[in-house]
Amino acid sequence: MRFSSYLYASAVLGFSIASNIHRKHEEIHNKRHANLFERHTPEASANSTCGCTTIWSTIYGEPTLIQPKNYGSMTAPSSSATSTSVTSAPEIPTSSPMPIRDPAAHPPKLVKPSHPEVANPAPPAKKSADDAKPKKPSHSGSHWAMTYSPYTPSGNCKASSDVASDVASIAAKGFSSIRLYSTDCSGLTNVATAAQSHNLNLNLILGVYIPASGISTARPQIDEIVTWAATNGHWKGVEMIVVGNEAVFNNFASATELASFVSEARSAFKSGGYDGPVTLTETVDILSKHADVLCPASDIAAANIHPFFNGQVTASGAGAFVASQLELLAETCPGKEVYNLETGWPSKGSKNGVAIPGSWEQRIAVEGIRKMAGGKSTFFSFVDDEWKEEGEWGVERSWGCELTPPTAVTHSLSLPFLSASANNLVIAKTSLLQIFSLKSVLHETTITSDSLFQPRRASFHGPSATGTHRHGERAPTTKLVLIAQYELSGVVTSLARIKLQESRSGGEALLVSLRNAKLSLVEWDPERYSISTISIHLYEREDTQGSPWEPDAEDNVSYLSVDPRSRCAALKFGERHLAILPFHQSGDDLVMDDYDSDLDDEEPKDLKSTEKKEEGAKQAATTPYGASFVLSTLALDPSLLHPVHLAFLYEYRDPTFGVLSSQVASSISLLHERRDILSYT
């Protein structure tokens, strides 16, 4: 079966930004930096041309691509531009596999009205080298513990060297404890050895996992732990032992059976010399339902609290949700210390109500939990659990927190960014922006004696008398030098270069499009030797959504295209919406007017007014762009039902782009019926 596309129409869709065909939306200028990931609700005006209402705004300020630590709401826009200092992005925990957790497990939907902040007690005293007693739960700092499972993506056991590297990464991020779910893959030995070596001083939260086969198959793990402690010589560093992980919730055991097994395990551990806390962990609703049985069986009250599975909690509300659940847990088991033994947010998958998976949503959620309840929470998990089934909503594999920066390059662009004569490479790695410069260096070459007798060849490194480098000769070469890198407040979807009338560096500007219909125009500031944000443009989806069943903006592919002469940019977002952002350019009529003496009989009065032109010139000097607007692709052509891509074309007087689209939605199951459905307009 062969798939091919054909040209539906060869006519090119042209338009002039300055024309009055399309009414412009009102633009709100917030004269300060705001978080890129926040949704704003400025007043919107209806667009009579596209039949939709768009919420959007432009924000001025200093470098803003770095994620701010304050997630508070944005203040009201001011009348003049102000600058804000650059803040470093908070360090986010990362994740790792965890022993078999039922994919269908959904934490409770119990939400307490008030969300007080959970206080974090002072850190405990340092352990002495000869202290053989188990550690008491300390919940120090803003991120207490991280879950860890010693499995490879294929489900095999990791080597001890890989485990040691993972444990060191967890300790480097400031976690004081590491949670194991079971005893398999030599986890007790490998993790404990790594945790207590090289002065890492990581405490251990050990686990006895109850599988679907029931409690009887979990008993050998108790003996393994006791034997390990005897071999180790003590219970040093063991903070607590958790028996079962949502065993009642998954119907692997009844509440009475679990309580009895916890008591049995406690006795065995005590006989082996352990006198620390032994507990169980369930969802809060299970603990509330069986509080009379489960609470007395536990030395401390522990639950797995996952905001995502609530379905009514957004990523920004994850911290408050966890804090409220911890308070509810304290009321459920009064008089006991409360802990959250599993929490986080997925980076991939389908949305669950208002809970939307995503890498940036994960950062927001984890940071919120860290701030409001991190001292009593165990973050799940160290890396993505590729060995699991995807489960409901397709999220079970994607809970790995980002401890290490992303490495895969998603977008790249070459432009003179640092200066007019510079040759820079800008790359995006999901949410990381890196700026490189090409630097010429002398490289010492070494050749073998045999090569001295080879025929002479021209040198690509410059003129040479012989064309062959002798031993020890220094030849010029070029290498990439990293100038700067920034953590972005969002996931990059496109990069584009813009030639402005004026820039601080004299070079070109960079236009970055982010997911959820966001644009950021940045330039290089030589004085600060850093990027400087000229403006941020937010095109919200609420009022551009044509029908209730249309996908959200984050579920659609967005792409950015820029006119070859940098006169305007077009961002396709949502199902079928375009955001047009014009740029001031000397010698063109894009922003000032669209009068053509060859086509128009009489020159408009506005063009005869010097004051009007002077006012426009002042505006161009203030901002490098004009007021943008949003319109539907259906307003351009009713046949543009499902746009696939667009690109600006060369050698046109007015900015002109072509659109590749389809009149029917694509479908894998209907591929044999929906072939050759693309058209070019």
Side-chain angles (χ1 to χ4, degrees):
M1 182 180 298
R2 185 182 63 172
F3 177 82
S4 61
S5 61
Y6 64 92
L7 293 181
Y8 176 79
S10 60
V12 177
L13 176 64
F15 69 96
S16 175
I17 300 297
S19 66
N20 293 324
I21 297 177
H22 307 294
R23 293 183 58 190
K24 298 179 180 179
H25 286 251
E26 177 184 3
E27 185 163 17
I28 299 177
H29 300 291
N30 296 308
K31 309 293 185 177
R32 66 182 293 276
H33 163 56
N35 299 339
L36 291 183
F37 54 79
E38 285 186 344
R39 291 190 178 274
H40 304 282
T41 55
E43 295 180 2
S45 59
N47 187 320
S48 58
T49 301
C50 66
C52 62
T53 302
T54 305
I55 299 176
W56 58 283
S57 61
T58 302
I59 300 99
Y60 302 99
E62 289 303 312
T64 54
L65 285 180
I66 298 178
Q67 178 189 355
K69 292 184 179 180
N70 180 17
Y71 294 110
S73 59
M74 187 183 72
T75 58
S78 58
S79 58
S80 60
T82 60
S83 63
T84 58
S85 60
V86 181
T87 56
S88 299
E91 304 213 349
I92 307 297
T94 308
S95 51
S96 166
M98 134 188 155
I100 314 166
R101 178 175 174 269
D102 190 282
H106 311 309
K109 297 186 177 181
L110 302 174
V111 183
K112 197 172 182 63
S114 60
H115 308 306
E117 184 170 342
V118 177
N120 295 327
K126 293 184 178 179
K127 299 182 294 184
S128 61
D130 58 351
D131 183 12
K133 295 183 178 181
K135 299 297 297 182
K136 300 295 183 183
S138 58
H139 52 80
S140 61
S142 60
H143 39 288
W144 166 46
M146 170 67 72
T147 66
Y148 182 75
S149 296
Y151 306 140
T152 64
S154 61
N156 297 321
C157 296
K158 285 188 175 182
S160 58
S161 58
D162 294 332
V163 172
S165 177
D166 293 344
V167 172
S169 297
I170 294 174
K173 290 300 178 180
F175 291 93
S176 61
S177 303
I178 183 169
R179 181 189 174 190
L180 294 174
Y181 288 87
S182 66
T183 60
D184 59 344
C185 286
S186 302
L188 286 173
T189 301
N190 293 341
V191 174
T193 300
Q196 297 173 11
S197 64
H198 307 296
N199 297 319
L200 295 182
N201 293 326
L202 273 176
N203 297 324
L204 299 175
I205 302 173
L206 303 184
V208 176
Y209 185 74
I210 300 175
S213 54
I215 289 175
S216 60
T217 55
R219 283 194 172 90
Q221 298 177 58
I222 297 177
D223 297 333
E224 288 185 52
I225 294 176
V226 173
T227 302
W228 165 81
T231 305
N232 194 38
H234 47 66
W235 295 86
K236 176 185 175 182
V238 178
E239 196 165 20
M240 70 174 70
I241 302 177
V242 183
V243 179
N245 188 70
E246 300 180 2
V248 176
F249 180 87
N250 291 319
N251 294 319
F252 296 164
S254 66
T256 303
E257 291 172 339
L258 178 60
S260 177
F261 187 49
V262 171
S263 178
E264 176 186 337
R266 181 185 294 106
S267 299
F269 296 142
K270 187 174 182 179
S271 298
Y274 176 75
D275 61 357
V278 178
T279 186
L280 54 88
T281 183
E282 293 285 343
T283 57
V284 176
D285 60 337
I286 292 295
L287 289 170
S288 299
K289 188 182 300 183
H290 305 285
D292 57 334
V293 176
L294 298 180
C295 289
S298 305
D299 295 328
I300 58 176
N304 292 351
I305 305 175
H306 281 284
F308 174 82
F309 291 116
N310 181 273
Q312 300 175 8
V313 179
T314 62
S316 59
F321 177 81
V322 171
S324 68
Q325 293 290 285
L326 282 172
E327 187 181 62
L328 184 60
L329 180 59
E331 296 177 359
T332 301
C333 300
K336 294 184 182 292
E337 192 75 16
V338 295
Y339 291 90
N340 176 13
L341 290 184
E342 190 182 293
T343 192
W345 196 272
S347 60
K348 297 176 184 177
S350 303
K351 64 180 181 179
N352 173 28
V354 299
I356 300 174
S359 57
W360 187 241
E361 287 79 4
Q362 183 188 65
R363 283 177 172 263
I364 298 172
V366 169
E367 177 63 9
I369 297 171
R370 186 189 67 82
K371 285 185 175 181
M372 300 196 69
K376 287 194 172 185
S377 294
T378 302
F379 289 92
F380 172 73
S381 57
F382 175 64
V383 294
D384 284 345
D385 299 336
E386 298 293 342
W387 49 274
K388 289 184 177 180
E389 297 294 332
E390 291 186 349
E392 192 171 2
W393 298 295
V395 300
E396 286 299 317
R397 296 178 178 177
S398 308
W399 293 80
C401 303
E402 192 175 298
L403 275 184
T404 56
T407 56
V409 175
T410 56
H411 301 83
S412 63
L413 182 68
S414 176
L415 77 164
F417 190 58
L418 271 63
S419 66
S421 59
N423 189 3
N424 301 116
L425 174 67
V426 178
I427 66 174
K429 300 178 179 179
T430 308
S431 59
L432 183 70
L433 189 74
Q434 293 182 323
I435 302 172
F436 292 88
S437 182
L438 286 175
K439 182 179 180 180
S440 296
V441 296
L442 294 178
H443 176 67
E444 185 171 345
T445 60
T446 302
I447 58 176
T448 63
S449 58
D450 294 340
S451 64
L452 296 177
F453 301 97
Q454 297 297 322
R456 295 179 180 179
R457 291 186 292 266
S459 172
F460 291 99
H461 299 293
S464 173
T466 64
T468 304
H469 296 296
R470 299 293 179 179
H471 180 76
E473 184 178 349
R474 297 175 68 83
T477 186
T478 304
K479 69 176 183 178
L480 285 173
V481 178
L482 179 62
I483 301 299
Q485 66 179 20
Y486 306 91
E487 291 189 23
L488 309 182
S489 297
V491 176
V492 176
T493 58
S494 297
L495 296 175
R497 54 192 291 183
I498 297 292
K499 184 177 293 185
L500 303 178
Q501 285 183 288
E502 293 183 2
S503 66
R504 298 186 184 186
S505 66
E508 297 184 4
L510 179 67
L511 190 61
V512 182
S513 71
L514 305 172
R515 198 172 61 179
N516 296 342
K518 302 171 186 177
L519 286 176
S520 181
L521 182 64
V522 300
E523 63 179 345
W524 183 258
D525 187 350
E527 295 183 0
R528 301 178 61 256
Y529 206 71
S530 177
I531 59 172
S532 174
T533 299
I534 300 174
S535 63
I536 301 173
H537 308 262
L538 310 176
Y539 301 94
E540 298 291 351
R541 68 164 184 82
E542 285 84 355
D543 291 341
T544 58
Q545 190 162 341
S547 60
W549 51 84
E550 277 192 9
D552 294 335
E554 57 269 9
D555 296 329
N556 288 280
V557 178
S558 63
Y559 40 83
L560 175 69
S561 183
V562 174
D563 173 62
R565 291 166 57 184
S566 297
R567 293 172 293 182
C568 65
L571 173 69
K572 182 269 176 185
F573 68 95
E575 184 76 6
R576 53 182 69 89
H577 288 93
L578 291 177
I580 308 297
L581 178 63
F583 293 96
H584 298 277
Q585 296 294 328
S586 58
D588 64 23
D589 61 358
L590 184 59
V591 177
M592 298 299 297
D593 65 88
D594 62 348
Y595 171 72
D596 191 330
S597 59
D598 295 333
L599 301 177
D600 299 329
D601 296 333
E602 182 179 355
E603 184 178 5
K605 295 182 180 180
D606 288 346
L607 298 183
K608 297 178 181 179
S609 174
T610 304
E611 295 181 358
K612 290 281 187 180
K613 290 186 177 182
E614 290 179 352
E615 182 180 349
K618 290 180 180 179
Q619 180 186 7
T622 304
T623 62
Y625 53 86
S628 62
F629 61 90
V630 174
L631 69 160
S632 171
T633 57
L634 299 179
L636 303 175
D637 191 323
S639 65
L640 299 178
L641 288 173
H642 302 282
V644 176
H645 200 68
L646 68 86
F648 279 90
L649 307 179
Y650 289 81
E651 306 301 330
Y652 280 82
R653 179 184 181 276
D654 293 327
T656 304
F657 58 78
V659 182
L660 190 66
S661 65
S662 170
Q663 294 193 36
V664 294
S666 60
S667 173
I668 297 178
S669 60
L670 298 176
L671 184 60
H672 62 288
E673 297 180 5
R674 297 185 179 181
R675 294 180 298 176
D676 302 332
I677 60 175
L678 297 180
S679 62
Y680 177 77
T681 303

